[in-house]
């Protein structure tokens, strides 16, 4: 840590207080914890102090340094404010003097061949967003452009084009989307769920799963949930992760709530890893004789590291027990809870 050179330097007691508060807020050495990590504060030069700490606690466990940088940043801001070392805020710029940068324009249209093309801005950011939405990038003598194959179903063409337009507009691009490709225009009073369009789509997938008459139809319906790139679980994981990051950006001190969203995103990721290879196993089970399928009533024991992915909350377990016909008052069953210490994020 360094003090502001425009302000008087801190005393030894003030630097000691700063060091203790920083190791406390990160959890390296909380107050009153006899098994905390060992640490030392060194003041070997004016206006700065270095803190060195081990990550191994005295009880043998390891300190989880996840998001320590955010906690340190928030605490340093509070310390600077309390010690009057916070720099003065810059004078606001009047709206008349603000610099307005024209937004790049992108046009997404349906071609007579049945394809969908995106033309206009050709920078790397717009190209990345279009590829993420599902467009194919083409580079030839006409330059860089993006399009959807003509074999893309009509419903998918509209969904991909609308998704691409939403992401581009969020990145401050001026997007001109053909009305026939804009699925948002079709969400009128007939939508019983109002603005919850995603929930309505998942209900439609649920109906398709229940109405499946063979394994092929069931695989097609479940693929909407478990596709590795465009499935519903992947989109939910991305949304939870983005919500946690946005909470941190908007509210520096709301890191606990951001951690909960990050942990929820990792929980969904664990569920995805639990279902890897589902399509092959489902296809194999459809080829088994009916008698053999009926005898397979239990699944092999899951590895301990992946048991958190299928954890059931007590409320859900109680609801399932009460809804089952012919069941009496059963004793409480053990519930597997995921660890509260989030691990490194994976994609």
């Amino acid at each position: 840590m360094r003090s502001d050179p425009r302000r008087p330097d801190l005393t030894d007691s003030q630097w000691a207080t700063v060091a203790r508060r920083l190791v406390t807020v990160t959890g390296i050495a909380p107050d009153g914890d006899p098994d905390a990590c060992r640490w030392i504060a060194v003041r070997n030069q004016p206006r700065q102090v270095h803190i060195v700490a081990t990550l191994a606690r005295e009880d043998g466990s390891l300190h989880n340094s996840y998001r320590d940088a955010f906690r340190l940043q928030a605490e340093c801001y509070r310390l600077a404010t309390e010690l009057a070392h916070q720099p003065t805020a810059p004078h606001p710029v009047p709206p008349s003097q603000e610099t307005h940068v024209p937004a790049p324009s992108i046009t997404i249209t349906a071609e007579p061949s049945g394809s969908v093309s995106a033309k206009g801005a050709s920078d790397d950011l717009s190209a990345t967003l279009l590829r993420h939405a599902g467009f194919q990038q083409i580079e030839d003598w006409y330059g860089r452009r993006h399009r959807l194959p003509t074999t893309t179903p009509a419903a998918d063409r509209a969904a991909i084009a609308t998704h691409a337009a939403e992401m581009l507009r969020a990145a401050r691009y001026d997007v001109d989307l053909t009305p026939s490709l804009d699925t948002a225009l079709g969400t009128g009073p007939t939508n019983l769920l109002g603005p919850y369009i995603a929930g309505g789509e998942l209900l439609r997938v649920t109906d398709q799963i229940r109405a499946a008459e063979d394994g092929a139809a069931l695989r097609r319906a479940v693929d909407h949930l478990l596709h590795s790139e465009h499935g519903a679980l992947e989109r939910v994981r991305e949304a939870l992760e983005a919500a946690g990051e946005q909470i941190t950006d908007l509210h520096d001190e709301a890191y606990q709530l951001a951690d909960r969203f990050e942990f929820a995103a990792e929980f969904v990721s664990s569920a995805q890893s639990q279902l890897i290879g589902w399509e092959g196993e489902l296809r194999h089970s459809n080829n088994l004789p009916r008698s053999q399928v009926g005898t397979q009533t239990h699944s092999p024991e899951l590895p301990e590291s992946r048991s958190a992915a299928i954890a059931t909350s007590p409320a859900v377990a109680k609801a399932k027990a009460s809804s089952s016909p012919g069941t009496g008052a059963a004793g409480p069953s053990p519930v597997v809870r995921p660890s509260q210490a989030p691990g490194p994020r994976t994609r």
Side-chain angles (χ1 to χ4, degrees):
M1 295 80 62
R2 293 181 176 88
S3 62
D4 190 345
R6 298 168 297 181
R7 302 289 193 276
D9 194 9
L10 305 182
T11 63
D12 289 341
S13 60
Q14 287 177 320
W15 275 121
T17 301
V18 169
R20 289 192 184 94
R21 285 180 59 172
L22 292 182
V23 295
T24 299
V25 75
T26 56
I28 293 177
D31 291 336
D33 187 355
D35 297 326
C37 300
R38 293 189 177 185
W39 63 278
I40 184 174
V42 182
R43 188 183 182 191
N44 55 350
Q45 294 182 15
R47 294 193 171 279
Q48 65 180 3
V49 165
H50 295 268
I51 295 181
V52 182
T54 63
L55 293 182
R57 292 170 48 86
E58 290 297 299
D59 58 4
S61 61
L62 294 179
H63 167 67
N64 184 8
S65 59
Y66 180 66
R67 299 187 69 84
D68 274 359
F70 295 99
R71 299 184 179 96
L72 286 171
Q73 186 179 29
E75 188 66 17
C76 285
Y77 181 85
R78 285 190 288 266
L79 286 166
T81 303
E82 295 173 7
L83 299 173
H85 276 238
Q86 187 68 23
T88 57
H91 296 288
V93 179
S96 59
Q97 299 180 8
E98 292 181 353
T99 302
H100 295 278
V101 179
S105 178
I106 297 178
T107 302
I108 302 178
T109 57
E111 299 179 350
S113 61
S115 177
V116 176
S117 63
K119 302 176 182 178
S122 58
D123 57 289
D124 293 337
L125 176 58
S126 63
T128 301
L129 295 176
L130 287 170
R131 289 197 305 269
H132 181 74
F135 280 79
Q136 294 180 353
Q137 180 172 309
I138 301 174
E139 294 189 15
D140 50 20
W141 55 86
Y142 293 108
R144 177 186 291 180
R145 50 201 174 92
H146 297 81
R147 61 184 294 275
L148 293 178
T150 56
T151 55
T152 305
D156 293 343
R157 287 199 300 266
I160 293 174
T162 302
H163 182 51
E166 291 175 351
M167 290 192 298
L168 291 168
R169 287 166 180 160
R172 304 300 179 87
Y173 288 89
D174 184 13
V175 182
D176 183 11
L177 178 62
T178 301
S180 60
L181 298 174
D182 193 351
T183 58
L185 298 179
T187 58
T190 57
N191 184 11
L192 299 179
L193 296 181
Y196 303 103
I197 305 173
E201 289 297 320
L202 286 179
L203 284 178
R204 184 176 61 84
V205 173
T206 302
D207 293 339
Q208 292 178 358
I209 292 175
R210 290 172 175 168
E213 298 180 354
D214 53 24
L218 180 60
R219 287 196 301 272
R220 286 194 300 269
V222 176
D223 186 65
H224 288 286
L225 301 176
L226 305 181
H227 192 276
S228 59
E229 295 183 5
H230 309 297
L233 281 185
E234 177 61 15
R235 292 294 176 258
V236 170
R237 186 196 64 80
E238 292 178 351
L240 291 172
E241 188 175 85
E245 295 173 354
Q246 192 70 6
I247 289 173
T248 303
D249 293 339
L250 297 178
H251 305 283
D252 293 337
E253 299 182 1
Y255 54 83
Q256 293 183 347
L257 178 59
D259 282 344
R260 290 162 59 189
F261 275 89
E262 295 286 349
F263 178 63
E266 292 172 5
F267 196 95
V268 176
S269 180
S270 299
Q272 290 176 293
S273 65
Q274 173 63 30
L275 296 171
I276 292 178
W278 67 272
E279 188 173 3
E281 295 180 14
L282 180 60
R283 185 181 293 106
H284 175 70
S285 64
N286 290 334
N287 296 331
L288 294 177
R290 300 296 293 181
S291 59
Q292 185 175 354
V293 173
T295 59
Q296 297 179 353
T297 58
H298 67 278
S299 58
E301 184 177 356
L302 297 174
E304 183 178 357
S305 60
R306 298 168 63 184
S307 61
I310 56 173
T312 304
S313 67
V316 175
K318 183 178 180 180
K320 288 184 177 180
S322 61
S323 62
S324 300
T327 58
S333 59
V335 177
V336 181
R337 293 182 180 271
S339 173
Q340 295 298 323
R345 294 186 298 174
T346 59
R347 284 188 175 274

